Amino acid sequence: MASRPQSCGKILVQLVRCYSSKGGKHYNVVIAGGGTGGCSVGARSCRTFGPGNVAIIEPAKHHYYQPMWTLVGAGIKKIDNSQRLMKEVLPQGCDHYVQRLQEIDPEKNTVILDNGEKLTYDYLVIGLGIQINLNKVEGLIEALKVDPNVCTNYVSDYVVKTYPAIQNFKGGNAIFTFPNTPIKCAGAPQKIMYLAEEYWAKHGVRDKTKVMYNSALGVIFGVKKYAERLLTVVERKNINLNLRESLTSVDPLKKTATFDLLDNKNGEKKTYTYDFLHVSPPMSAPDVLKNSTVPIVDASGFLDVNKYTCQHVKFPNIFGIGDCTNIPTSKTAAAVATQNKIVHRSMTEVMAGKAPTGGYEGYTSCPLITGYHSCILAEFGFDGVVLETFPIDQGKERRTMFHMKKDVMPQIYWQMLLKGYWGGPQPYRKIMHLGFV
Ligand code: FAD
Ligand code: UQ1
């Protein structure tokens, strides 16, 4: 039988492989990931280095403003408000590869994409985010698929389940979890709890409800000032705080959630029945970084960068931004806001043959929503040092901060941060030249 002519697609892939085996296309700057970090550094890079010199590798069709998902879960915003087509937010003038990054070879300044294509770079910026590992909790994927009472604000497909689950809740055990791994926005697991609690109080089911916050951590929040204020919220709302409990399995048929008791030396577990379950799933560094043939991560699996400059500790032409790095601060878009300015400055300094100035203090922020009209604006840096922007007590629950989170932040995100025009807020102490920051 005569062999069939090859399809155009196959020929194209072969051509690409042939081209790539000779080294592929070369860029001044390659950016891995088109999320908050990739877009913001990408926009700055395109402006500085010009069209055609910057490539972004990003497979997703949509870019999400993830900080809005807490509000989506509470019925305050719609998922569509948080979503844009990726091609609309990536900087104009950059080459967009709609592929997954498969492998980084930092010794050959080369990246390999899912389709086998290779790109070479002078400088590489890695902004791959943090990986959500739903499979690390037995039964969770099934439960999210089949049980309308199980939800998570951490995944675009499931955040839309949260508000209907809150609305349909008729009382019983409502459990909110925090996993035993690093996560992004460490406040998000409890923000949705405060919102749901207020909803249930307003709709007459609170009296029939036991609200539980089951967290693998030993504290409610990592910064003392805000932890103290949050404990008063927990007390006021009569929430049961179960610390050092880590979710290991969910059974949607029996409606049970089982937790490891982390301080129990005999490895004991505790099982609760649930009527509502909001899961903040285990997370990790992306596999593509952890599995890199040439090691580029630290023992925790996250990209090993200098915390002041965002420059890789071993490969000076590689920079890291955001959730995929081992920078010891809370993983947020607010942190990326300051980091994108630092990455761009470090990179241009290295290009000019200088040592990076650095200066990142670990700035990060978590608007801790405590209800439908209240928010504590936590802002801090390395070692939990408080770095507040406004000359007021930000530990207080305020309506103004709620509106900043709901109405102002999305504008700053879409119009400024993603376009590379937002390097984070300037604390009033700096603006007022008070000289202590
Ligand atoms: P991301 O924005 O997640 O981007 C990573 C990108 O890499 C993605 O586009 C992904 O598709 C891409 N990618 C992954 N793997 C590959 C691969 N192999 N090849 C190519 N591309 C790849 N932050 C705040 O500041 N304030 C808040 O109030 C807040 N609330 C939050 C609430 C929730 C529910 C969630 C989920 C997050 C919240 N955040 C908040 C955190 C914030 O969204 C993240 O910290 C921020 O988006 C991190 O940016 P990033 O660029 O590191 O990662
Ligand atoms: C911020 O810069 C930022 O990035 C756009 C966020 O992400 C959504 C935030 O949540 C916060 C609080 C900040 C910090 C900004 C100000 C004005 C305090």
Side-chain angles (χ1 to χ4, degrees):
M1 204 170 89
S3 65
R4 281 176 45 179
Q6 282 186 302
S7 73
C8 285
K10 278 188 185 155
I11 292 169
L12 205 64
V13 168
Q14 274 173 6
L15 275 172
V16 165
R17 292 231 165 99
C18 169
Y19 179 58
S20 53
S21 67
K22 289 183 188 136
K25 197 161 176 198
H26 182 82
Y27 288 94
N28 199 198
V29 179
V30 167
I31 296 171
T36 315
C39 277
S40 53
V41 173
R44 286 180 195 259
S45 300
C46 280
R47 274 202 298 278
T48 308
F49 310 119
N53 293 318
V54 180
I56 301 192
I57 304 162
E58 169 58 67
K61 187 174 176 206
H62 291 112
H63 178 113
Y64 288 99
Y65 174 53
Q66 301 165 49
M68 196 180 275
W69 288 351
T70 298
L71 304 177
V72 174
I76 298 167
K77 299 264 184 177
K78 299 271 179 248
I79 182 82
D80 291 358
N81 302 139
S82 73
Q83 181 186 293
R84 299 273 192 281
L85 281 174
M86 189 60 80
K87 60 178 187 229
E88 283 171 9
V89 296
L90 289 179
Q92 282 176 3
C94 76
D95 287 358
H96 178 195
Y97 289 80
V98 190
Q99 293 292 325
R100 284 189 79 76
L101 175 71
Q102 181 74 27
E103 171 81 43
I104 299 168
D105 185 344
E107 285 163 347
K108 292 197 180 127
N109 296 330
T110 300
V111 290
I112 305 171
L113 314 186
D114 246 6
N115 62 353
E117 194 170 359
K118 285 183 188 170
L119 307 177
T120 55
Y121 57 80
D122 296 325
Y123 296 89
L124 174 67
V125 180
I126 302 179
L128 293 174
I130 194 166
Q131 182 174 298
I132 307 273
N133 297 319
L134 296 177
N135 58 347
K136 298 279 180 198
V137 175
E138 198 189 323
L140 177 58
I141 294 175
E142 177 69 3
L144 284 165
K145 281 186 187 152
V146 302
D147 188 342
N149 306 121
V150 179
C151 52
T152 175
N153 283 357
Y154 275 93
V155 181
S156 58
D157 283 348
Y158 297 119
V159 59
V160 291
K161 285 182 76 185
T162 306
Y163 190 51
I166 291 173
Q167 287 175 305
N168 293 330
F169 181 68
K170 299 284 177 284
N173 283 346
I175 306 178
F176 297 81
T177 73
F178 187 113
N180 196 16
T181 66
I183 66 167
K184 52 182 154 189
C185 194
Q190 61 187 289
K191 297 182 207 179
I192 187 62
M193 173 174 68
Y194 300 135
L195 288 157
E197 194 276 342
E198 185 175 321
Y199 183 96
W200 294 327
K202 277 201 188 123
H203 290 82
V205 287
R206 183 65 185 92
D207 292 344
K208 296 178 266 175
T209 302
K210 184 172 179 184
V211 179
M212 288 178 248
Y213 188 58
N214 293 11
S215 168
L217 299 181
V219 289
I220 188 144
F221 197 74
V223 181
K224 197 164 164 264
K225 167 172 179 171
Y226 308 113
E228 281 168 3
R229 306 299 176 95
L230 289 167
L231 285 177
T232 67
V233 177
V234 165
E235 201 171 323
R236 184 178 78 227
K237 289 177 177 281
N238 190 21
I239 289 166
N240 292 262
L241 197 52
N242 300 315
L243 297 177
R244 305 285 295 147
E245 298 195 6
S246 169
L247 181 69
T248 55
S249 65
V250 182
D251 185 333
L253 294 178
K254 292 189 187 145
K255 296 272 209 196
T256 56
T258 300
F259 292 78
D260 270 345
L261 301 179
L262 297 176
D263 288 336
N264 185 289
K265 293 201 175 60
N266 303 322
E268 259 181 50
K269 292 177 181 283
K270 188 165 182 184
T271 297
Y272 300 83
T273 57
Y274 69 81
D275 300 284
F276 173 99
L277 178 63
H278 179 272
V279 179
S280 297
M283 301 177 205
S284 71
D287 288 341
V288 64
L289 297 183
K290 287 185 286 185
N291 300 338
S292 174
T293 319
V294 179
I296 49 173
V297 297
D298 71 4
S300 71
F302 288 91
L303 189 73
D304 204 357
V305 298
N306 177 303
K307 68 177 184 178
Y308 305 112
T309 64
C310 301
Q311 186 183 34
H312 194 271
V313 295
K314 282 200 214 106
F315 299 99
N317 62 338
I318 297 183
F319 299 84
I321 186 158
D323 297 353
C324 70
T325 70
N326 67 348
I327 297 173
T329 195
S330 185
K331 297 179 187 302
T332 64
V336 169
T338 307
Q339 288 169 18
N340 85 88
K341 182 180 64 187
I342 298 282
V343 167
H344 185 73
R345 190 174 66 196
S346 297
M347 191 162 62
T348 46
E349 285 169 337
V350 172
M351 285 176 181
K354 298 184 206 148
T357 316
Y360 182 49
E361 296 171 302
Y363 175 83
T364 188
S365 170
C366 190
L368 293 157
I369 297 174
T370 55
Y372 277 79
H373 300 287
S374 56
C375 177
I376 290 171
L377 183 63
E379 291 181 285
F380 51 97
F382 295 138
D383 304 313
V385 172
V386 172
L387 295 175
E388 294 182 348
T389 301
F390 303 104
I392 49 172
D393 176 9
Q394 290 186 205
K396 205 168 162 246
E397 295 173 76
R398 291 175 190 275
R399 186 181 273 261
T400 45
M401 294 306 170
F402 179 83
H403 284 292
M404 197 165 80
K405 158 81 187 167
K406 176 167 108 38
D407 305 315
V408 181
M409 277 308 142
Q411 297 304 322
I412 293 183
Y413 187 85
W414 298 116
Q415 305 307 333
M416 296 172 72
L417 177 54
L418 290 193
K419 294 179 179 172
Y421 293 119
W422 177 245
Q426 285 297 305
Y428 74 94
R429 287 159 296 179
K430 273 192 184 168
I431 296 168
M432 305 296 285
H433 302 291
L434 295 180
F436 60 99
V437 185

